[in-house]
């Protein structure tokens, strides 16, 4: 293993970890940390200031100081090789089996996830980088404990696009000058260092809340390109618009990254979480009903996706649709049929709206998504020529959460508690994407569950079906009843869920206290 100056590795050394944690790679991480971590922390402070403003009665809107950017005539760079046609993208973590399945799926793009579908268990962080490097080299293989062999197919494979952790998460097992490094810079730096000559270094950027955070990423990209003598624009990045504030800064985010931009994605689940989080103390105007009621056609979600397509295509950038959480079952034909129908309807809406492609979470859904986008695109690689000039979205449209139909029920509350606890149990054991009730749950959907419980509890919600007020005692009783149904020892997960769902102070991300519990 490397021994770069000022760098300390506190995690255990697994087999082949030294191939990733070389002195040269760690020196690069140290350069990134010393150059950019101070600004990262300043931007996180700005998030906190904005949250305080919202809780004091402020609101969100299009920024007056960046009006020239929104009204200006500019475009992002032309689509990069391997990213011209993105009609179907598959997402998933970077363990060996999932990596091979994704690369054999027939999708156009694979989102190699070091974020919401992964957990930052030290072994996952480094082994994921090993798997990515082996996949890029075409030599990745895996044999399951049952003896089943997994190998990469010959022929075309999806373009790899890596999603690093968000700006808010540290990497506690790598310290520079005595301080933990950024999870974002660690994931980016290790992948770029080991693969920038062997493949195109493309990234998905999560959880950003402002164009200033996009500017920091752009500075990181420019630094890396110059450091290794790569042309400007070698690195490309697609930004997930998955926070409420970012929806008001889409133009500005594209502008900051314009030489490195590969478009925007509608990160729908984290977006719902962010809507709850940002206005969590503002009463009925921002109270959402049961999660199942908040579809992509409700007014505030419709406005967000329409604006995303309009903004992207005006700037020559791809607009990528969101994840349909439904997953098929190879054992239950009825579940399988329902999942296919729901995914088909979701992707049909997106293709009709002008999206250039969309996400699926399971290889069996790749043909469903591809067929729908094939029917719209035909021989074209994308829909960048559909400018959607008919779309006119105002700030009030984006903020119109109150128009969301639906009820707040005990069934919805029970579902939120049960899903939240089950997901956290898996997360603490190192698994970040979990099939629960025929839905693919990840950190984003778990965040919706716990933040909705918190919002209902702290805003005096009375359940529509039972007439019972949501109290801490009710949540605790339901948690106990749901745990009894599930069986097993879920005490640690239950305790963590209660900490982030009912405490007086709202924790920004449940993964922060969860990571503290992780070795």
């Amino acid at each position: 293993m490397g021994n770069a100056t000022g760098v300390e590795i506190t995690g255990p050394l697994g087999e082949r970890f030294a191939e990733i944690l070389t002195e040269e790679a760690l020196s690069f991480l140290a350069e990134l940390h010393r150059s950019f971590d101070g600004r990262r922390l300043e931007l996180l402070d700005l998030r906190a200031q904005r949250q305080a403003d919202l809780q004091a009665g402020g609101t969100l809107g299009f920024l007056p100081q960046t009006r020239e950017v929104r009204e200006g005539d500019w475009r992002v760079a032309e689509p990069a090789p391997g990213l011209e046609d993105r009609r179907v993208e598959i997402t998933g973590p970077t363990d060996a089996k999932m990596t091979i399945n994704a690369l054999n799926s027939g999708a156009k793009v694979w989102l190699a996830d070091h974020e919401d579908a992964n957990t930052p268990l030290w072994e996952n962080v480094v082994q994921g980088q090993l798997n990515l490097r082996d996949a890029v080299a075409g030599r990745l293989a895996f044999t399951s404990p049952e003896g089943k062999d997994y190998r990469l197919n010959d022929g075309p494979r999806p373009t790899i696009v890596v999603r690093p952790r968000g700006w808010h998460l540290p990497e506690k097992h790598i310290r520079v000058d005595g301080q933990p490094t950024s999870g974002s810079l660690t994931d980016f730096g290790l992948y770029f260092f080991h693969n920038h000559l062997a493949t195109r270094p493309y990234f998905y950027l999560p959880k950003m809340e402002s164009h200033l955070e996009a500017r920091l990423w752009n500075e990181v990209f420019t630094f890396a390109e110059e450091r290794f003598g790569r042309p400007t624009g070698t690195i490309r990045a697609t930004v997930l618009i998955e926070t409420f504030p970012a929806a008001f800064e889409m133009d500005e985010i594209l502008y900051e990254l314009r030489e490195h931009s590969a478009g925007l994605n509608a990160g729908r689940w984290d977006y719902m979480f962010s809507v709850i989080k940002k206005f969590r103390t503002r009463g009925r105007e921002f109270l959402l009903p049961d999660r199942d009621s908040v579809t992509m056609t409700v007014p505030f979600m419709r406005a967000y996706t329409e604006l995303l397509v309009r903004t992207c295509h005006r700037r020559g950038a791809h607009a990528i649709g969101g994840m349909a959480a439904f997953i098929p079952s190879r054992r239950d034909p009825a579940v399988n049929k329902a999942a296919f129908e729901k995914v088909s309807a979701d992707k049909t809406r997106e293709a009709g709206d002008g999206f250039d492609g969309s996400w699926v979470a399971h290889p069996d859904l790749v043909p469903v998504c591809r067929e729908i986008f094939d029917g719209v695109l035909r021989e074209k690689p994308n829909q960048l020529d559909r400018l959607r000039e008919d779309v006119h979205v105002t700030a009030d449209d984006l903020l119109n959460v109150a128009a969301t139909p639906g009820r707040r029920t005990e069934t919805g509350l029970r579902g939120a508690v049960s899903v939240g606890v089950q997901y956290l149990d898996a997360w603490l054991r190192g698994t970040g994407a979990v099939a629960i009730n025929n839905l693919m749950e990840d950190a984003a959907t778990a965040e919706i569950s716990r933040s909705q419980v918190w919002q209902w509890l702290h805003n005096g919600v009375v359940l529509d079906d039972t007439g019972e007020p949501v109290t801490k005692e009710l949540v605790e009783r339901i948690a106990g009843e749901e745990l009894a149904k599930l069986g097993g020892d879920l005490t640690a997960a239950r305790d963590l869920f209660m900490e982030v769902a009912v405490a007086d102070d709202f924790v920004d991300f449940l993964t922060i206290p969860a990571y503290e519990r992780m070795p």
Side-chain angles (χ1 to χ4, degrees):
M1 190 181 72
N3 187 28
T5 302
V7 180
E8 178 188 9
I9 303 296
T10 63
L13 283 183
E15 184 181 359
R16 296 182 60 204
F17 279 24
E19 296 177 30
I20 295 298
L21 303 173
T22 65
E23 181 175 358
E24 295 80 6
L26 295 178
S27 293
F28 180 50
L29 292 188
E31 291 180 60
L32 292 174
H33 177 86
R34 291 166 183 148
S35 299
F36 301 108
D37 199 60
R39 181 57 178 157
R40 175 183 75 92
L41 296 175
E42 290 175 0
L43 291 170
L44 293 179
D45 286 341
L46 288 179
R47 288 187 186 181
Q49 293 174 28
R50 176 180 261 181
Q51 182 65 50
D53 290 341
L54 294 176
Q55 289 182 226
T59 191
L60 296 172
F62 298 108
L63 304 178
Q65 64 267 35
T66 56
R67 174 176 289 179
E68 289 186 4
V69 171
R70 291 194 302 279
E71 297 179 353
D73 185 17
W74 52 269
R75 292 171 66 84
V76 303
E78 291 296 313
L83 293 178
E84 301 95 337
D85 187 334
R86 305 175 63 176
R87 67 188 67 199
V88 54
E89 303 191 354
I90 189 167
T91 76
T94 55
D95 61 275
K97 176 183 172 181
M98 297 293 281
T99 295
I100 293 168
N101 285 344
L103 291 174
N104 290 343
S105 68
K108 289 290 187 179
V109 168
W110 172 44
L111 185 156
D113 201 0
H114 275 242
E115 202 233 1
D116 272 0
N118 186 45
T119 68
L121 193 70
W122 174 241
E123 288 78 4
N124 290 352
V125 170
V126 185
Q127 187 62 50
Q129 294 286 346
L130 274 166
N131 294 339
L132 286 170
R133 196 178 68 160
D134 287 349
V136 167
R139 60 173 179 258
L140 183 64
F142 174 71
T143 301
S144 73
E146 298 77 25
K148 184 175 180 181
D149 289 330
Y150 294 81
R151 299 288 186 273
L152 293 172
N153 294 339
D154 295 329
R157 298 188 189 118
T159 299
I160 297 174
V161 182
V162 175
R163 178 160 68 168
R165 282 167 282 181
W167 281 132
H168 61 286
L169 279 172
E171 175 45 65
K172 63 184 179 183
H173 299 98
I174 302 178
R175 302 178 72 85
V176 175
D177 304 329
Q179 298 298 317
T181 56
S182 155
S184 300
L185 296 178
T186 297
D187 297 340
F188 162 78
L190 290 176
Y191 182 75
F192 179 83
F193 179 87
H194 288 291
N195 299 284
H196 71 92
L197 294 177
T199 192
R200 305 175 184 100
Y202 298 155
F203 298 89
Y204 256 109
L205 305 180
K207 304 286 191 294
M208 285 196 284
E209 296 195 8
S210 78
H211 69 285
L212 299 179
E213 296 179 21
R215 181 180 298 171
L216 179 59
W217 268 120
N218 197 69
E219 291 169 0
V220 170
F221 296 160
T222 299
F223 176 88
E225 288 167 340
E226 292 177 352
R227 169 72 170 74
F228 291 94
R230 304 307 308 276
T232 299
T234 297
I235 299 170
R236 293 300 179 93
T238 306
V239 173
L240 292 111
I241 301 299
E242 56 182 354
T243 70
F244 213 4
F248 296 86
E249 300 184 36
M250 294 188 203
D251 270 308
E252 294 89 333
I253 287 169
L254 286 173
Y255 183 80
E256 294 293 344
L257 285 159
R258 59 194 181 278
E259 292 181 314
H260 297 109
S261 179
L264 304 177
N265 168 277
R268 60 179 69 170
W269 305 118
D270 263 307
Y271 189 76
M272 286 171 56
F273 161 53
S274 182
V275 167
I276 298 170
K277 177 167 72 170
K278 291 300 170 186
F279 288 90
R280 60 183 181 262
T281 60
R282 298 287 290 274
R284 303 197 68 82
E285 185 181 358
F286 291 95
L287 280 177
L288 286 177
D290 292 356
R291 168 183 156 185
D292 291 347
S293 301
V294 188
T295 68
M296 296 305 296
T297 59
V298 303
F300 81 97
M301 295 296 282
R302 185 75 179 149
Y304 146 69
T305 55
E306 291 272 87
L307 180 61
L308 190 147
V309 175
R310 169 77 176 97
T311 303
C312 283
H313 288 183
R314 182 185 176 203
R315 304 304 183 184
H318 281 79
I320 306 300
M323 173 74 76
F326 307 102
I327 57 174
S329 169
R330 292 170 179 172
R331 298 178 180 177
D332 189 331
V335 168
N336 200 47
K337 181 174 183 292
F340 274 58
E341 288 174 351
K342 290 174 179 177
V343 172
S344 179
D346 183 67
K347 303 312 174 190
T348 298
R349 174 189 51 78
E350 289 182 327
D353 286 347
F355 280 95
D356 302 293
S358 191
W359 283 9
V360 297
H362 193 284
D364 288 355
L365 296 175
V366 169
V368 178
C369 185
R370 183 174 57 225
E371 180 180 2
I372 290 166
F373 276 88
D374 283 350
V376 172
L377 293 173
R378 301 189 185 279
E379 301 304 316
K380 298 191 305 179
N382 51 59
Q383 300 196 75
L384 292 176
D385 58 339
R386 284 195 64 193
L387 298 182
R388 293 304 313 270
E389 293 177 339
D390 57 305
V391 170
H392 302 282
V393 173
T394 67
D396 286 342
D397 294 329
L398 293 173
L399 291 165
N400 189 19
V401 177
T404 305
R407 301 197 308 159
R408 288 168 280 274
T409 69
E410 182 180 308
T411 300
L413 182 61
R414 284 186 177 276
V417 172
S418 180
V419 167
V421 171
Q422 289 182 74
Y423 179 78
L424 285 174
D425 177 63
W427 199 96
L428 290 170
R429 290 184 285 106
T431 300
V434 188
I436 303 174
N437 301 328
N438 302 305
L439 296 175
M440 184 60 73
E441 305 286 355
D442 65 8
T445 53
E447 289 282 29
I448 296 172
S449 296
R450 70 95 180 187
S451 62
Q452 193 157 51
V453 172
W454 194 99
Q455 186 189 42
W456 290 5
L457 173 63
H458 288 83
N459 286 276
V461 165
V462 175
L463 296 175
D464 292 318
D465 55 345
T466 67
E468 190 170 5
V470 178
T471 63
K472 183 176 180 180
E473 291 72 26
L474 175 62
V475 177
E476 288 175 337
R477 174 171 65 80
I478 287 176
E481 293 168 356
E482 293 302 310
L483 258 66
K485 295 177 187 176
L486 295 169
D489 185 5
L490 301 177
T491 304
R494 188 273 312 276
D495 291 348
L496 176 56
F497 181 82
M498 295 301 290
E499 176 183 324
V500 298
V502 305
D504 290 338
D505 294 329
F506 186 91
V507 177
D508 275 346
F509 295 95
L510 64 79
T511 47
I512 293 174
Y515 189 42
E516 293 172 356
R517 288 164 165 79
M518 184 173 279

